[in-house]
């Protein structure tokens, strides 16, 4: 079972779907709808400082919010930042891979999913 923990539908296209088409249907294999609560990276602020007069907050990323515990047989589609932050500890996280773009260059889907390591 693959669950989508991003805030938008994930469209999976055939490998030969060309980029540059605005029609969402050609080559569409499936759409994985998002779950109600997306997974996000939590931020832990550590300190504030100024650099060249600009306020800079020193923060720590890497604590996931809204990510369920590992479950046998379940994989979760998450954003790339979430997957990269947790890849060493979570083999159940997937990200969109080999993106499909419309005529404006906007990502509208992907051809595959990937598991970051």
């Amino acid at each position: 079972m693959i669950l989508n923990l991003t805030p938008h539908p994930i469209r999976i296209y055939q490998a030969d779907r060309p980029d540059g088409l605005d029609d969402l249907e050609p080559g569409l294999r499936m759409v994985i709808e998002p779950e109600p609560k997306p997974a996000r990276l939590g931020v832990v602020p550590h300190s504030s400082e100024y650099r060249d007069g600009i306020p800079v907050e020193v923060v720590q990323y890497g604590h996931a919010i809204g990510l369920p515990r590992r479950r046998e047989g379940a994989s979760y589609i998450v954003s790339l930042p979430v997957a990269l932050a947790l890849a060493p500890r979570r083999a159940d996280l997937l990200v969109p891979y080999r993106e499909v773009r419309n005529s404006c260059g906007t990502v509208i889907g992907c051809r595959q999913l990937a598991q970051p390591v």
Side-chain angles (χ1 to χ4, degrees):
M1 164 183 21
I2 297 176
L3 299 172
N4 178 4
L5 299 182
T6 73
H8 51 273
I10 300 293
R11 292 180 189 86
I12 310 289
Y13 286 94
Q14 298 288 344
D16 60 353
R17 158 71 191 228
D19 285 326
L21 302 177
D22 290 325
D23 186 350
L24 298 177
E25 294 302 318
L28 183 64
R29 294 179 64 195
M30 70 173 58
V31 178
I32 304 172
E33 295 294 335
E35 295 297 309
K37 186 176 179 184
R40 305 269 189 212
L41 274 185
V43 180
V44 177
H46 287 280
S47 63
S48 297
E49 58 186 61
Y50 283 85
R51 295 183 191 172
D52 295 331
I54 299 170
V56 175
E57 189 75 21
V58 178
V59 299
Q60 178 184 9
Y61 291 97
H63 306 282
I65 297 170
L67 183 63
R69 292 180 185 261
R70 281 182 242 191
R71 204 166 76 200
E72 184 67 32
S75 296
Y76 303 101
I77 302 172
V78 296
S79 68
L80 185 57
V82 169
L84 291 175
L86 301 173
R89 301 183 304 263
R90 296 284 300 252
D92 58 341
L93 304 181
L94 304 172
V95 296
Y97 183 63
R98 296 189 56 227
E99 291 85 2
V100 174
R101 298 177 183 274
N102 66 13
S103 64
C104 296
T106 302
V107 174
I108 59 168
C110 63
R111 295 173 180 89
Q112 291 178 262
L113 297 173
Q115 176 189 330
V117 292

